């Protein structure tokens, strides 16, 4: 494990395991790199696996500034530069996907070889042309309600999150670990970041990208209807899409063996084609 310091002076915590091509895992909103606890050992048999805690999360710094997707993209840039990582496969889950999209918009494919997008829609709010909204944060009033719930009772909010994102049930030990990780993220950081993240619409960007891409979609998600993340696979040129029939929002946790096979296969096959995996 280690830390790097971003261009605006924030320490970012990361951990790494294994050797081979670099595979960088970006977690979702309110979580941390420890949410990949079921995955790192298996993936590290095929790659140099790096998990990072985004600013305001896990063991990274908790400043009072910088809770915008674009700043998280710059944090990612700083990490890749500091560790001198090249030909990286970057995997984003939930919020991690917009971090990658913002990175591509700002820095192109600098230091990246391919991308994996896990269960994130290109837009969270309802619109006349977008029915696949987030289940609970789909407009300005629902954003305000979410922020109020989180601020008033963070432990209850986190318990509800754990119950929502998994189709299966984590073990008592896993549940304790994950809740402890969520408790490290202060409400001011989470509220500010969600306010920025949830208002973005990435639909115009996706068709312009050229990075070989894999899109993983969970059929049983209670956060997004599956059609939203599946749209990402349709919009990205040459992307391959894999459906996880028995998974919730954290599909890497619910179906880890399939997740490992799919991701490690993509690491060794970077063909930019239109194949759809099932």
């Amino acid at each position: 494990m280690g830390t790097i310091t971003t261009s605006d002076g924030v320490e970012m915590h990361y951990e790494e395991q294994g050797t081979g091509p670099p595979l960088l895992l970006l977690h979702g909103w309110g979580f941390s790199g420890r949410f990949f606890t079921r995955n790192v050992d298996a993936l590290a048999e095929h790659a140099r696996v790096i998990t990072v805690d985004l600013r305001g999360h896990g063991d990274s710094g908790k400043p009072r500034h910088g809770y915008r997707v674009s700043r998280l993209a710059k944090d990612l840039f700083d990490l890749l530069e500091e560790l001198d990582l090249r030909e990286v496969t970057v995997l984003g889950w939930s919020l991690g996907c917009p971090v990658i999209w913002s990175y591509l918009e700002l820095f192109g494919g600098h230091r990246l070889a391919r991308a994996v997008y896990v269960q994130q829609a290109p837009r969270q709010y309802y619109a006349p042309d977008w029915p696949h909204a987030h289940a609970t944060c789909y407009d300005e009033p629902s954003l305000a309600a979410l922020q109020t719930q989180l601020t008033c009772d963070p432990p209850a909010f986190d318990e509800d999150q754990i119950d929502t994102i998994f189709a299966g049930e984590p073990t008592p030990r896993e549940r304790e670990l994950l809740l402890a990780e969520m408790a490290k993220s202060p409400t001011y950081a989470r509220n500010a970041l969600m306010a920025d993240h949830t208002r973005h619409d990435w639909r115009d960007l996706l068709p312009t990208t050229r990075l070989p891409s894999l899109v993983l979609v969970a059929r049983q998600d209670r956060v997004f209807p599956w059609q939203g993340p599946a749209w990402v696979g349709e919009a990205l040129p040459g992307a391959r899409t894999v459906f996880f029939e028995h998974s919730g929002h954290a599909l890497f946790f619910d179906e880890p063996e399939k997740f490992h096979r799919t991701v490690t296969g993509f690491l060794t096959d970077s063909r930019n084609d239109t194949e759809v995996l099932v």
Side-chain angles (χ1 to χ4, degrees), residues 121-164:
R123 178 185 172 99
Q124 295 209 159
Y125 282 5
Y126 281 118
D129 63 344
W130 186 254
H132 312 305
H134 191 282
T136 58
C137 190
Y138 48 80
D139 59 13
E140 291 296 305
S142 63
L143 168 63
L146 179 149
Q147 292 172 317
T148 300
Q149 292 164 5
L150 172 58
T151 302
C152 291
D153 194 345
F157 184 92
D158 292 348
E159 289 276 3
D160 182 69
Q161 286 282 92
I162 291 292
D163 291 338
T164 298

Side-chain angles (χ1 to χ4, degrees), residues 7-271:
S7 61
D8 64 340
V10 177
E11 283 199 347
M12 290 187 63
H13 172 85
Y14 70 90
E15 299 182 8
E16 61 178 297
Q17 182 175 326
T19 59
L23 171 62
L24 179 63
L25 309 181
L26 300 176
H27 62 80
W29 176 78
F31 306 131
S32 79
R34 301 294 295 279
F35 271 68
F36 296 106
T37 185
R38 287 187 176 183
N39 313 113
V40 171
D41 287 349
L43 294 175
E45 296 178 6
H46 306 272
R48 176 187 176 186
V49 180
I50 301 160
T51 59
V52 60
D53 294 343
L54 302 175
R55 71 168 59 206
H57 296 74
D59 293 327
S60 288
K62 314 293 191 305
R64 287 281 181 171
H65 67 277
Y67 296 108
R68 287 174 290 276
V69 173
S70 58
R71 180 61 245 188
L72 299 188
K74 181 58 167 65
D75 293 347
L76 172 59
F77 178 92
D78 293 343
L79 178 72
L80 297 180
E81 291 291 305
E82 181 68 22
L83 299 183
D84 194 24
L85 298 175
R86 302 172 186 271
E87 295 296 305
V88 177
T89 297
V90 60
L91 182 150
W93 165 47
S94 197
L95 169 65
C97 295
V99 173
I100 300 171
W101 298 333
S102 183
Y103 182 99
L104 294 174
E105 187 170 53
L106 295 171
F107 308 112
H110 179 65
R111 294 186 178 267
L112 302 183
R114 56 189 68 84
V116 183
Y117 303 109
V118 181
Q119 200 56 19
Q120 173 65 41
R123 178 185 172 99
Q124 295 209 159
Y125 282 5
Y126 281 118
D129 63 344
W130 186 254
H132 312 305
H134 191 282
T136 58
C137 190
Y138 48 80
D139 59 13
E140 291 296 305
S142 63
L143 168 63
L146 179 149
Q147 292 172 317
T148 300
Q149 292 164 5
L150 172 58
T151 302
C152 291
D153 194 345
F157 184 92
D158 292 348
E159 289 276 3
D160 182 69
Q161 286 282 92
I162 291 292
D163 291 338
T164 298
I165 65 172
F166 301 123
E169 181 68 27
T171 68
R173 184 175 181 179
E174 288 171 333
R175 188 182 188 91
E176 180 181 4
L177 168 68
L178 300 181
L179 286 170
E181 288 298 298
M182 296 176 74
K184 295 177 181 179
S185 185
T187 57
Y188 66 81
R190 284 195 264 181
N191 279 339
L193 184 53
M194 180 56 81
D196 181 75
H197 160 51
T198 199
R199 291 171 174 140
H200 283 286
D201 186 341
W202 299 98
R203 289 178 294 171
D204 63 324
L205 174 74
L206 299 188
T208 71
T209 66
R210 293 295 179 268
L211 203 65
S213 300
L214 173 68
V215 179
L216 307 184
V217 181
R219 294 279 196 184
Q220 308 303 321
D221 191 7
R222 288 180 285 175
V223 178
F224 287 109
W226 65 264
Q227 292 90 342
W231 191 97
V232 173
E234 297 170 358
L236 289 167
R240 288 180 278 168
T241 300
V242 180
F243 290 91
F244 285 65
E245 302 293 339
H246 309 293
S247 289
H249 194 61
L251 59 83
F252 52 87
F253 203 92
D254 287 325
E255 295 184 72
E257 291 82 11
K258 181 175 181 178
F259 175 80
H260 301 151
R261 290 195 308 269
T262 304
V263 171
T264 56
F266 184 63
L267 283 172
T268 58
D269 179 8
S270 61
R271 292 174 302 167

